[in-house]
Amino acid sequence: MEDKIKIFQKWIDESSDTVFFGGAGVSTESGIPDFRSTDGIYSLKYAYPPEQIISHEFFYSNTEEFYRFYRDKLVTPDAKPNMAHLKLAQLEKAGKLSAVVTQNIDGLHQMAGNKKVFELHGAVSRNFCLECGKRYSADYIMNNTPVPHCSCGGLIKPDVVLYNEGLDDNIVSGAVKAISSAELLIVGGTSLVVYPAAGLLRYFRGKHIVLINKSATSFDKNADLVFNESIGEVFRQIEVKYPDEQ
């Protein structure tokens, strides 16, 4: 791994435009479970599979059960950024990282300090009334059970992309622009099976792709460097060099 880290470090140092594309594996090291993992909890506690519960149709047809799962599994107020989040924020501050494109909805990249983040699937921190559009915080959602309603009486919906809903065109356009102009693309914590998000990688036209994921992916053959390691451990070994240090 030491030799790979040296190559990775060299590419970061040489790149003037690096973009990070990440998935759920970035946040599991902050204690946020990947709901796709088979741990037996869901079959014991929920009458429906997670993919069904967080679908567009289920939200409207069984809103109370949706919010029971949503509060229990998707809103994580105690989670803190881990080493991967922190190093990415440092790389942005050093002028090395131009953007983060994430499939996560936890807001940990912003909490760590990243400013330019394209949240493909939305964020639990944002919630809105379906009638009047008024915005609400995650705390409001957590404290107004079982189903949160607006002061106008309208149903409140999390600003997250549910199954069978489309991605925000503006966010996708921004992510595509960032990826297509990058010299170095770091892909981390994702199995790259969720589309259309995973399809954005095809817009990369730069020099190198580095893939960091504990398990192998179908995209490994397209990467120039692959780490099947903890993403936090890989980033822990990367030195962030600020302009006056180079």
Side-chain angles (χ1 to χ4, degrees), residues 145-207:
T145 59
V147 177
H149 285 87
C150 177
S151 55
C152 78
L155 174 64
I156 296 174
K157 181 182 182 296
D159 192 6
V160 298
V161 178
L162 304 178
Y163 282 108
N164 300 322
E165 291 183 340
L167 304 185
D168 183 296
D169 288 341
N170 291 329
I171 292 175
V172 170
S173 295
V176 167
K177 184 177 180 181
I179 291 171
S180 62
S181 64
E183 287 184 25
L184 172 64
L185 179 62
I186 306 170
V187 181
T190 173
S191 56
L192 296 171
V193 297
V194 177
Y195 283 80
L200 299 183
L201 299 191
R202 72 179 185 272
Y203 292 99
F204 179 68
R205 298 290 183 269
K207 294 180 180 178

Side-chain angles (χ1 to χ4, degrees), residues 45-226:
K45 194 169 183 180
Y46 302 99
Y48 308 88
E51 289 83 354
Q52 182 179 352
I53 296 175
I54 56 172
S55 69
H56 176 88
E57 295 80 7
F58 196 92
F59 173 79
Y60 289 98
S61 65
N62 200 336
T63 310
E64 185 171 332
E65 182 68 5
F66 167 88
Y67 267 115
R68 189 165 77 91
F69 179 87
Y70 182 79
R71 291 187 183 95
D72 194 22
K73 292 296 179 183
L74 299 185
V75 183
T76 53
D78 297 327
K80 303 298 182 186
N82 60 53
M83 182 56 66
H85 297 108
L86 296 172
K87 278 293 175 76
L88 288 167
Q90 291 171 21
L91 286 169
E92 184 185 88
K93 188 176 181 181
K96 303 300 294 182
L97 187 80
S98 57
V100 169
V101 180
T102 180
Q103 300 173 77
N104 297 335
I105 60 176
D106 49 51
L108 291 181
H109 286 293
Q110 291 93 328
M111 191 182 298
N114 279 111
K115 305 299 183 185
K116 193 170 185 180
V117 182
F118 295 101
E119 296 173 308
L120 296 174
H121 296 151
V124 296
S125 60
R126 302 189 300 268
N127 306 272
F128 64 96
C129 173
L130 290 168
E131 296 296 328
C132 71
K134 185 177 179 180
R135 294 280 169 170
Y136 289 89
S137 67
D139 285 343
Y140 186 89
I141 299 299
M142 295 298 286
N143 295 324
N144 286 268
T145 59
V147 177
H149 285 87
C150 177
S151 55
C152 78
L155 174 64
I156 296 174
K157 181 182 182 296
D159 192 6
V160 298
V161 178
L162 304 178
Y163 282 108
N164 300 322
E165 291 183 340
L167 304 185
D168 183 296
D169 288 341
N170 291 329
I171 292 175
V172 170
S173 295
V176 167
K177 184 177 180 181
I179 291 171
S180 62
S181 64
E183 287 184 25
L184 172 64
L185 179 62
I186 306 170
V187 181
T190 173
S191 56
L192 296 171
V193 297
V194 177
Y195 283 80
L200 299 183
L201 299 191
R202 72 179 185 272
Y203 292 99
F204 179 68
R205 298 290 183 269
K207 294 180 180 178
H208 303 294
I209 296 179
V210 177
L211 198 154
I212 311 167
N213 197 56
K214 284 187 175 181
S215 57
T217 77
S218 60
F219 196 79
D220 287 9
K221 61 183 180 295
N222 302 108
D224 300 292
L225 191 62
V226 176

